[in-house]
Amino acid sequence: GTFLVMLAVGIVIGNLTERIRAQARLARTREHRTLALFRLSDELARSAGSAPLVESAIRSVAAQFQARVAIFLPDSHGRLRPTQTETAAGFREEEQGVSQWVFDHHESAGLGTDTLPGAKALYLPLMGAHGPIGVMGVLPEGVPRWTEPDQRHLLGAFANQTALALERALLVEKGAETQRQMDREQLRNA
């Protein structure tokens, strides 16, 4: 009888210990995620202007996910172009079509998705408050770091934060450009 009681107690304690370990792992993962997002928003907040902001985002995502990162923004005709040709070098020319598809359909595509899975990189839409503003391409160095749902969510959160910060910066720059044009008009009229 004593042996069975001891065995039952042992099993219960073993299960509890395992559950506590799993919860500790989950807490650590969440803490890492929160810290990574905090660092990114801090980086983005300190970047004045869209170009430095794009650089900060590329650096942060590349470091967090061990990948090459490119950000594609539309030209005046809505065709996507890489913002920095040197970082986009690893992204093959034929994959530009994937980024354009993502921009036009507002959905992720490429590596690890059901849409155009043959692509070498994963492409995420950068959705601002007023619609899509660009696309982020993430090309893994080796095995993708975002195969677990948790990391995939984190990558999505990085893309969202980048999109909103970039949208603000682009609006400010557009406003400044409009103001300069108005000033030039007034000068001409005067």
PDB file of all heavy atoms in Angstrom, residues 143-177:
ATOM      1  N   VAL A 143      18.087  27.868 -41.718  1.00  0.00           N
ATOM      2  CA  VAL A 143      16.710  27.487 -41.367  1.00  0.00           C
ATOM      3  C   VAL A 143      15.960  28.729 -40.882  1.00  0.00           C
ATOM      4  O   VAL A 143      16.467  29.464 -40.038  1.00  0.00           O
ATOM      5  CB  VAL A 143      16.708  26.407 -40.257  1.00  0.00           C
ATOM      6  CG1 VAL A 143      15.276  26.027 -39.877  1.00  0.00           C
ATOM      7  CG2 VAL A 143      17.474  25.181 -40.718  1.00  0.00           C
ATOM      8  N   PRO A 144      14.751  28.980 -41.416  1.00  0.00           N
ATOM      9  CA  PRO A 144      14.004  30.157 -40.971  1.00  0.00           C
ATOM     10  C   PRO A 144      13.766  30.137 -39.467  1.00  0.00           C
ATOM     11  O   PRO A 144      13.473  29.081 -38.901  1.00  0.00           O
ATOM     12  CB  PRO A 144      12.673  30.051 -41.716  1.00  0.00           C
ATOM     13  CG  PRO A 144      12.901  29.099 -42.821  1.00  0.00           C
ATOM     14  CD  PRO A 144      14.024  28.202 -42.412  1.00  0.00           C
ATOM     15  N   ARG A 145      13.893  31.287 -38.842  1.00  0.00           N
ATOM     16  CA  ARG A 145      13.712  31.416 -37.402  1.00  0.00           C
ATOM     17  C   ARG A 145      12.245  31.559 -37.006  1.00  0.00           C
ATOM     18  O   ARG A 145      11.936  31.689 -35.837  1.00  0.00           O
ATOM     19  CB  ARG A 145      14.447  32.682 -36.920  1.00  0.00           C
ATOM     20  CG  ARG A 145      15.907  32.481 -36.605  1.00  0.00           C
ATOM     21  CD  ARG A 145      16.066  31.821 -35.245  1.00  0.00           C
ATOM     22  NE  ARG A 145      17.438  31.590 -34.904  1.00  0.00           N
ATOM     23  CZ  ARG A 145      18.184  32.449 -34.204  1.00  0.00           C
ATOM     24  NH1 ARG A 145      17.684  33.586 -33.814  1.00  0.00           N
ATOM     25  NH2 ARG A 145      19.426  32.149 -33.904  1.00  0.00           N
ATOM     26  N   TRP A 146      11.354  31.614 -37.981  1.00  0.00           N
ATOM     27  CA  TRP A 146       9.957  31.917 -37.652  1.00  0.00           C
ATOM     28  C   TRP A 146       9.016  30.759 -37.955  1.00  0.00           C
ATOM     29  O   TRP A 146       7.868  30.963 -38.273  1.00  0.00           O
ATOM     30  CB  TRP A 146       9.504  33.173 -38.400  1.00  0.00           C
ATOM     31  CG  TRP A 146       9.664  33.044 -39.882  1.00  0.00           C
ATOM     32  CD1 TRP A 146       8.787  32.452 -40.751  1.00  0.00           C
ATOM     33  CD2 TRP A 146      10.773  33.485 -40.666  1.00  0.00           C
ATOM     34  NE1 TRP A 146       9.285  32.503 -42.027  1.00  0.00           N
ATOM     35  CE2 TRP A 146      10.502  33.134 -42.010  1.00  0.00           C
ATOM     36  CE3 TRP A 146      11.961  34.142 -40.365  1.00  0.00           C
ATOM     37  CZ2 TRP A 146      11.384  33.425 -43.044  1.00  0.00           C
ATOM     38  CZ3 TRP A 146      12.834  34.423 -41.404  1.00  0.00           C
ATOM     39  CH2 TRP A 146      12.547  34.069 -42.719  1.00  0.00           C
ATOM     40  N   THR A 147       9.538  29.516 -37.851  1.00  0.00           N
ATOM     41  CA  THR A 147       8.672  28.372 -38.148  1.00  0.00           C
ATOM     42  C   THR A 147       7.685  28.117 -37.007  1.00  0.00           C
ATOM     43  O   THR A 147       6.611  27.585 -37.220  1.00  0.00           O
ATOM     44  CB  THR A 147       9.499  27.098 -38.417  1.00  0.00           C
ATOM     45  OG1 THR A 147      10.488  26.992 -37.397  1.00  0.00           O
ATOM     46  CG2 THR A 147      10.166  27.159 -39.780  1.00  0.00           C
ATOM     47  N   GLU A 148       8.042  28.522 -35.780  1.00  0.00           N
ATOM     48  CA  GLU A 148       7.109  28.357 -34.661  1.00  0.00           C
ATOM     49  C   GLU A 148       6.109  29.502 -34.684  1.00  0.00           C
ATOM     50  O   GLU A 148       6.475  30.641 -34.962  1.00  0.00           O
ATOM     51  CB  GLU A 148       7.869  28.364 -33.332  1.00  0.00           C
ATOM     52  CG  GLU A 148       8.637  27.087 -33.081  1.00  0.00           C
ATOM     53  CD  GLU A 148       9.826  27.297 -32.170  1.00  0.00           C
ATOM     54  OE1 GLU A 148       9.726  28.165 -31.272  1.00  0.00           O
ATOM     55  OE2 GLU A 148      10.853  26.637 -32.380  1.00  0.00           O
ATOM     56  N   PRO A 149       4.834  29.197 -34.356  1.00  0.00           N
ATOM     57  CA  PRO A 149       3.794  30.233 -34.395  1.00  0.00           C
ATOM     58  C   PRO A 149       4.171  31.478 -33.579  1.00  0.00           C
ATOM     59  O   PRO A 149       3.919  32.596 -34.002  1.00  0.00           O
ATOM     60  CB  PRO A 149       2.575  29.545 -33.779  1.00  0.00           C
ATOM     61  CG  PRO A 149       2.820  28.093 -33.944  1.00  0.00           C
ATOM     62  CD  PRO A 149       4.294  27.886 -33.974  1.00  0.00           C
ATOM     63  N   ASP A 150       4.817  31.247 -32.457  1.00  0.00           N
ATOM     64  CA  ASP A 150       5.192  32.346 -31.578  1.00  0.00           C
ATOM     65  C   ASP A 150       6.135  33.327 -32.285  1.00  0.00           C
ATOM     66  O   ASP A 150       5.947  34.543 -32.231  1.00  0.00           O
ATOM     67  CB  ASP A 150       5.884  31.752 -30.345  1.00  0.00           C
ATOM     68  CG  ASP A 150       5.763  32.670 -29.156  1.00  0.00           C
ATOM     69  OD1 ASP A 150       4.629  33.082 -28.871  1.00  0.00           O
ATOM     70  OD2 ASP A 150       6.799  32.981 -28.547  1.00  0.00           O
ATOM     71  N   GLN A 151       7.143  32.785 -32.958  1.00  0.00           N
ATOM     72  CA  GLN A 151       8.106  33.621 -33.671  1.00  0.00           C
ATOM     73  C   GLN A 151       7.462  34.275 -34.895  1.00  0.00           C
ATOM     74  O   GLN A 151       7.785  35.402 -35.250  1.00  0.00           O
ATOM     75  CB  GLN A 151       9.323  32.782 -34.115  1.00  0.00           C
ATOM     76  CG  GLN A 151      10.243  32.407 -32.978  1.00  0.00           C
ATOM     77  CD  GLN A 151      10.830  33.650 -32.290  1.00  0.00           C
ATOM     78  OE1 GLN A 151      11.420  34.511 -32.927  1.00  0.00           O
ATOM     79  NE2 GLN A 151      10.657  33.742 -30.986  1.00  0.00           N
ATOM     80  N   ARG A 152       6.522  33.563 -35.516  1.00  0.00           N
ATOM     81  CA  ARG A 152       5.811  34.091 -36.688  1.00  0.00           C
ATOM     82  C   ARG A 152       4.985  35.306 -36.273  1.00  0.00           C
ATOM     83  O   ARG A 152       4.913  36.305 -36.987  1.00  0.00           O
ATOM     84  CB  ARG A 152       4.931  32.982 -37.266  1.00  0.00           C
ATOM     85  CG  ARG A 152       4.246  33.322 -38.564  1.00  0.00           C
ATOM     86  CD  ARG A 152       5.242  33.392 -39.714  1.00  0.00           C
ATOM     87  NE  ARG A 152       4.537  33.599 -40.952  1.00  0.00           N
ATOM     88  CZ  ARG A 152       4.016  34.744 -41.323  1.00  0.00           C
ATOM     89  NH1 ARG A 152       4.123  35.801 -40.552  1.00  0.00           N
ATOM     90  NH2 ARG A 152       3.388  34.865 -42.465  1.00  0.00           N
ATOM     91  N   HIS A 153       4.366  35.206 -35.079  1.00  0.00           N
ATOM     92  CA  HIS A 153       3.592  36.343 -34.546  1.00  0.00           C
ATOM     93  C   HIS A 153       4.518  37.518 -34.290  1.00  0.00           C
ATOM     94  O   HIS A 153       4.167  38.664 -34.551  1.00  0.00           O
ATOM     95  CB  HIS A 153       2.875  35.955 -33.257  1.00  0.00           C
ATOM     96  CG  HIS A 153       1.681  35.075 -33.467  1.00  0.00           C
ATOM     97  ND1 HIS A 153       0.590  35.474 -34.199  1.00  0.00           N
ATOM     98  CD2 HIS A 153       1.413  33.817 -33.068  1.00  0.00           C
ATOM     99  CE1 HIS A 153      -0.301  34.500 -34.235  1.00  0.00           C
ATOM    100  NE2 HIS A 153       0.184  33.475 -33.562  1.00  0.00           N
ATOM    101  N   LEU A 154       5.692  37.211 -33.759  1.00  0.00           N
ATOM    102  CA  LEU A 154       6.655  38.268 -33.455  1.00  0.00           C
ATOM    103  C   LEU A 154       7.079  38.970 -34.747  1.00  0.00           C
ATOM    104  O   LEU A 154       7.150  40.203 -34.800  1.00  0.00           O
ATOM    105  CB  LEU A 154       7.876  37.690 -32.729  1.00  0.00           C
ATOM    106  CG  LEU A 154       8.947  38.703 -32.311  1.00  0.00           C
ATOM    107  CD1 LEU A 154       8.364  39.756 -31.379  1.00  0.00           C
ATOM    108  CD2 LEU A 154      10.116  38.006 -31.630  1.00  0.00           C
ATOM    109  N   LEU A 155       7.328  38.184 -35.790  1.00  0.00           N
ATOM    110  CA  LEU A 155       7.716  38.767 -37.075  1.00  0.00           C
ATOM    111  C   LEU A 155       6.587  39.655 -37.610  1.00  0.00           C
ATOM    112  O   LEU A 155       6.830  40.762 -38.101  1.00  0.00           O
ATOM    113  CB  LEU A 155       8.053  37.657 -38.075  1.00  0.00           C
ATOM    114  CG  LEU A 155       8.565  38.077 -39.447  1.00  0.00           C
ATOM    115  CD1 LEU A 155       9.773  39.001 -39.350  1.00  0.00           C
ATOM    116  CD2 LEU A 155       8.921  36.854 -40.280  1.00  0.00           C
ATOM    117  N   GLY A 156       5.360  39.182 -37.470  1.00  0.00           N
ATOM    118  CA  GLY A 156       4.193  39.979 -37.883  1.00  0.00           C
ATOM    119  C   GLY A 156       4.112  41.278 -37.094  1.00  0.00           C
ATOM    120  O   GLY A 156       3.834  42.344 -37.656  1.00  0.00           O
ATOM    121  N   ALA A 157       4.393  41.201 -35.797  1.00  0.00           N
ATOM    122  CA  ALA A 157       4.363  42.396 -34.945  1.00  0.00           C
ATOM    123  C   ALA A 157       5.459  43.383 -35.364  1.00  0.00           C
ATOM    124  O   ALA A 157       5.246  44.594 -35.387  1.00  0.00           O
ATOM    125  CB  ALA A 157       4.525  41.998 -33.481  1.00  0.00           C
ATOM    126  N   PHE A 158       6.639  42.855 -35.718  1.00  0.00           N
ATOM    127  CA  PHE A 158       7.733  43.706 -36.201  1.00  0.00           C
ATOM    128  C   PHE A 158       7.284  44.436 -37.475  1.00  0.00           C
ATOM    129  O   PHE A 158       7.529  45.627 -37.637  1.00  0.00           O
ATOM    130  CB  PHE A 158       8.978  42.859 -36.495  1.00  0.00           C
ATOM    131  CG  PHE A 158       9.948  42.756 -35.347  1.00  0.00           C
ATOM    132  CD1 PHE A 158       9.525  42.344 -34.096  1.00  0.00           C
ATOM    133  CD2 PHE A 158      11.285  43.081 -35.511  1.00  0.00           C
ATOM    134  CE1 PHE A 158      10.421  42.247 -33.029  1.00  0.00           C
ATOM    135  CE2 PHE A 158      12.194  42.998 -34.456  1.00  0.00           C
ATOM    136  CZ  PHE A 158      11.755  42.575 -33.211  1.00  0.00           C
ATOM    137  N   ALA A 159       6.642  43.696 -38.378  1.00  0.00           N
ATOM    138  CA  ALA A 159       6.177  44.294 -39.634  1.00  0.00           C
ATOM    139  C   ALA A 159       5.136  45.382 -39.353  1.00  0.00           C
ATOM    140  O   ALA A 159       5.186  46.464 -39.947  1.00  0.00           O
ATOM    141  CB  ALA A 159       5.610  43.220 -40.557  1.00  0.00           C
ATOM    142  N   ASN A 160       4.201  45.112 -38.435  1.00  0.00           N
ATOM    143  CA  ASN A 160       3.162  46.099 -38.102  1.00  0.00           C
ATOM    144  C   ASN A 160       3.758  47.374 -37.532  1.00  0.00           C
ATOM    145  O   ASN A 160       3.384  48.474 -37.927  1.00  0.00           O
ATOM    146  CB  ASN A 160       2.160  45.525 -37.088  1.00  0.00           C
ATOM    147  CG  ASN A 160       1.252  44.495 -37.718  1.00  0.00           C
ATOM    148  OD1 ASN A 160       1.096  44.453 -38.937  1.00  0.00           O
ATOM    149  ND2 ASN A 160       0.665  43.645 -36.908  1.00  0.00           N
ATOM    150  N   GLN A 161       4.677  47.213 -36.595  1.00  0.00           N
ATOM    151  CA  GLN A 161       5.296  48.392 -35.977  1.00  0.00           C
ATOM    152  C   GLN A 161       6.057  49.203 -37.004  1.00  0.00           C
ATOM    153  O   GLN A 161       6.000  50.426 -37.015  1.00  0.00           O
ATOM    154  CB  GLN A 161       6.251  47.961 -34.870  1.00  0.00           C
ATOM    155  CG  GLN A 161       5.543  47.669 -33.585  1.00  0.00           C
ATOM    156  CD  GLN A 161       6.457  47.868 -32.390  1.00  0.00           C
ATOM    157  OE1 GLN A 161       7.671  47.782 -32.492  1.00  0.00           O
ATOM    158  NE2 GLN A 161       5.868  48.131 -31.261  1.00  0.00           N
ATOM    159  N   THR A 162       6.778  48.500 -37.868  1.00  0.00           N
ATOM    160  CA  THR A 162       7.538  49.170 -38.920  1.00  0.00           C
ATOM    161  C   THR A 162       6.589  49.933 -39.832  1.00  0.00           C
ATOM    162  O   THR A 162       6.836  51.090 -40.172  1.00  0.00           O
ATOM    163  CB  THR A 162       8.346  48.135 -39.734  1.00  0.00           C
ATOM    164  OG1 THR A 162       9.241  47.460 -38.850  1.00  0.00           O
ATOM    165  CG2 THR A 162       9.138  48.787 -40.852  1.00  0.00           C
ATOM    166  N   ALA A 163       5.487  49.292 -40.215  1.00  0.00           N
ATOM    167  CA  ALA A 163       4.525  49.913 -41.130  1.00  0.00           C
ATOM    168  C   ALA A 163       3.966  51.208 -40.556  1.00  0.00           C
ATOM    169  O   ALA A 163       3.936  52.236 -41.232  1.00  0.00           O
ATOM    170  CB  ALA A 163       3.387  48.934 -41.432  1.00  0.00           C
ATOM    171  N   LEU A 164       3.549  51.177 -39.299  1.00  0.00           N
ATOM    172  CA  LEU A 164       2.928  52.363 -38.699  1.00  0.00           C
ATOM    173  C   LEU A 164       3.927  53.498 -38.549  1.00  0.00           C
ATOM    174  O   LEU A 164       3.618  54.654 -38.830  1.00  0.00           O
ATOM    175  CB  LEU A 164       2.262  52.002 -37.365  1.00  0.00           C
ATOM    176  CG  LEU A 164       1.079  51.029 -37.512  1.00  0.00           C
ATOM    177  CD1 LEU A 164       0.591  50.557 -36.148  1.00  0.00           C
ATOM    178  CD2 LEU A 164      -0.071  51.668 -38.289  1.00  0.00           C
ATOM    179  N   ALA A 165       5.148  53.165 -38.123  1.00  0.00           N
ATOM    180  CA  ALA A 165       6.183  54.193 -37.964  1.00  0.00           C
ATOM    181  C   ALA A 165       6.558  54.781 -39.322  1.00  0.00           C
ATOM    182  O   ALA A 165       6.708  56.002 -39.464  1.00  0.00           O
ATOM    183  CB  ALA A 165       7.408  53.590 -37.280  1.00  0.00           C
ATOM    184  N   LEU A 166       6.667  53.923 -40.319  1.00  0.00           N
ATOM    185  CA  LEU A 166       7.049  54.357 -41.660  1.00  0.00           C
ATOM    186  C   LEU A 166       5.950  55.221 -42.275  1.00  0.00           C
ATOM    187  O   LEU A 166       6.230  56.239 -42.910  1.00  0.00           O
ATOM    188  CB  LEU A 166       7.332  53.127 -42.535  1.00  0.00           C
ATOM    189  CG  LEU A 166       7.982  53.344 -43.885  1.00  0.00           C
ATOM    190  CD1 LEU A 166       9.252  54.178 -43.775  1.00  0.00           C
ATOM    191  CD2 LEU A 166       8.307  52.009 -44.543  1.00  0.00           C
ATOM    192  N   GLU A 167       4.704  54.819 -42.052  1.00  0.00           N
ATOM    193  CA  GLU A 167       3.580  55.599 -42.574  1.00  0.00           C
ATOM    194  C   GLU A 167       3.614  57.022 -42.010  1.00  0.00           C
ATOM    195  O   GLU A 167       3.453  57.997 -42.749  1.00  0.00           O
ATOM    196  CB  GLU A 167       2.256  54.913 -42.213  1.00  0.00           C
ATOM    197  CG  GLU A 167       1.037  55.618 -42.796  1.00  0.00           C
ATOM    198  CD  GLU A 167      -0.262  54.927 -42.447  1.00  0.00           C
ATOM    199  OE1 GLU A 167      -0.468  54.602 -41.257  1.00  0.00           O
ATOM    200  OE2 GLU A 167      -1.069  54.710 -43.355  1.00  0.00           O
ATOM    201  N   ARG A 168       3.852  57.127 -40.702  1.00  0.00           N
ATOM    202  CA  ARG A 168       3.933  58.461 -40.068  1.00  0.00           C
ATOM    203  C   ARG A 168       5.053  59.284 -40.697  1.00  0.00           C
ATOM    204  O   ARG A 168       4.851  60.444 -41.054  1.00  0.00           O
ATOM    205  CB  ARG A 168       4.186  58.323 -38.559  1.00  0.00           C
ATOM    206  CG  ARG A 168       2.921  58.114 -37.754  1.00  0.00           C
ATOM    207  CD  ARG A 168       3.176  58.351 -36.271  1.00  0.00           C
ATOM    208  NE  ARG A 168       4.218  57.499 -35.720  1.00  0.00           N
ATOM    209  CZ  ARG A 168       4.001  56.288 -35.227  1.00  0.00           C
ATOM    210  NH1 ARG A 168       2.781  55.781 -35.223  1.00  0.00           N
ATOM    211  NH2 ARG A 168       4.998  55.574 -34.752  1.00  0.00           N
ATOM    212  N   ALA A 169       6.234  58.665 -40.840  1.00  0.00           N
ATOM    213  CA  ALA A 169       7.387  59.376 -41.398  1.00  0.00           C
ATOM    214  C   ALA A 169       7.112  59.833 -42.833  1.00  0.00           C
ATOM    215  O   ALA A 169       7.441  60.963 -43.202  1.00  0.00           O
ATOM    216  CB  ALA A 169       8.621  58.483 -41.353  1.00  0.00           C
ATOM    217  N   LEU A 170       6.489  58.964 -43.629  1.00  0.00           N
ATOM    218  CA  LEU A 170       6.202  59.314 -45.025  1.00  0.00           C
ATOM    219  C   LEU A 170       5.166  60.432 -45.108  1.00  0.00           C
ATOM    220  O   LEU A 170       5.269  61.314 -45.958  1.00  0.00           O
ATOM    221  CB  LEU A 170       5.722  58.075 -45.804  1.00  0.00           C
ATOM    222  CG  LEU A 170       6.778  56.994 -46.052  1.00  0.00           C
ATOM    223  CD1 LEU A 170       6.137  55.711 -46.589  1.00  0.00           C
ATOM    224  CD2 LEU A 170       7.854  57.470 -47.027  1.00  0.00           C
ATOM    225  N   LEU A 171       4.176  60.408 -44.203  1.00  0.00           N
ATOM    226  CA  LEU A 171       3.161  61.474 -44.182  1.00  0.00           C
ATOM    227  C   LEU A 171       3.796  62.816 -43.841  1.00  0.00           C
ATOM    228  O   LEU A 171       3.483  63.838 -44.450  1.00  0.00           O
ATOM    229  CB  LEU A 171       2.039  61.141 -43.188  1.00  0.00           C
ATOM    230  CG  LEU A 171       1.007  60.119 -43.653  1.00  0.00           C
ATOM    231  CD1 LEU A 171       0.078  59.727 -42.510  1.00  0.00           C
ATOM    232  CD2 LEU A 171       0.189  60.664 -44.822  1.00  0.00           C
ATOM    233  N   VAL A 172       4.706  62.805 -42.858  1.00  0.00           N
ATOM    234  CA  VAL A 172       5.406  64.031 -42.471  1.00  0.00           C
ATOM    235  C   VAL A 172       6.205  64.564 -43.657  1.00  0.00           C
ATOM    236  O   VAL A 172       6.152  65.760 -43.974  1.00  0.00           O
ATOM    237  CB  VAL A 172       6.336  63.777 -41.248  1.00  0.00           C
ATOM    238  CG1 VAL A 172       7.286  64.934 -41.028  1.00  0.00           C
ATOM    239  CG2 VAL A 172       5.501  63.519 -39.999  1.00  0.00           C
ATOM    240  N   GLU A 173       6.917  63.660 -44.334  1.00  0.00           N
ATOM    241  CA  GLU A 173       7.733  64.079 -45.479  1.00  0.00           C
ATOM    242  C   GLU A 173       6.870  64.596 -46.627  1.00  0.00           C
ATOM    243  O   GLU A 173       7.200  65.592 -47.262  1.00  0.00           O
ATOM    244  CB  GLU A 173       8.619  62.914 -45.944  1.00  0.00           C
ATOM    245  CG  GLU A 173       9.781  62.686 -44.991  1.00  0.00           C
ATOM    246  CD  GLU A 173      10.490  61.357 -45.177  1.00  0.00           C
ATOM    247  OE1 GLU A 173      10.304  60.713 -46.229  1.00  0.00           O
ATOM    248  OE2 GLU A 173      11.246  60.970 -44.261  1.00  0.00           O
ATOM    249  N   LYS A 174       5.732  63.944 -46.843  1.00  0.00           N
ATOM    250  CA  LYS A 174       4.816  64.376 -47.907  1.00  0.00           C
ATOM    251  C   LYS A 174       4.265  65.764 -47.573  1.00  0.00           C
ATOM    252  O   LYS A 174       4.169  66.630 -48.444  1.00  0.00           O
ATOM    253  CB  LYS A 174       3.682  63.361 -48.043  1.00  0.00           C
ATOM    254  CG  LYS A 174       2.898  63.455 -49.327  1.00  0.00           C
ATOM    255  CD  LYS A 174       1.882  62.320 -49.404  1.00  0.00           C
ATOM    256  CE  LYS A 174       1.080  62.380 -50.689  1.00  0.00           C
ATOM    257  NZ  LYS A 174       0.077  61.299 -50.720  1.00  0.00           N
ATOM    258  N   GLY A 175       3.919  65.954 -46.294  1.00  0.00           N
ATOM    259  CA  GLY A 175       3.410  67.257 -45.849  1.00  0.00           C
ATOM    260  C   GLY A 175       4.445  68.351 -46.060  1.00  0.00           C
ATOM    261  O   GLY A 175       4.118  69.449 -46.525  1.00  0.00           O
ATOM    262  N   ALA A 176       5.687  68.051 -45.733  1.00  0.00           N
ATOM    263  CA  ALA A 176       6.775  69.027 -45.896  1.00  0.00           C
ATOM    264  C   ALA A 176       6.978  69.353 -47.374  1.00  0.00           C
ATOM    265  O   ALA A 176       7.177  70.521 -47.733  1.00  0.00           O
ATOM    266  CB  ALA A 176       8.064  68.473 -45.287  1.00  0.00           C
ATOM    267  N   GLU A 177       6.894  68.332 -48.220  1.00  0.00           N
ATOM    268  CA  GLU A 177       7.057  68.527 -49.668  1.00  0.00           C
ATOM    269  C   GLU A 177       5.923  69.402 -50.214  1.00  0.00           C
ATOM    270  O   GLU A 177       6.154  70.334 -50.989  1.00  0.00           O
ATOM    271  CB  GLU A 177       7.096  67.165 -50.371  1.00  0.00           C
ATOM    272  CG  GLU A 177       7.272  67.213 -51.883  1.00  0.00           C
ATOM    273  CD  GLU A 177       8.461  68.064 -52.347  1.00  0.00           C
ATOM    274  OE1 GLU A 177       9.539  68.015 -51.707  1.00  0.00           O
ATOM    275  OE2 GLU A 177       8.290  68.792 -53.346  1.00  0.00           O
TER     276      GLU A 177
END
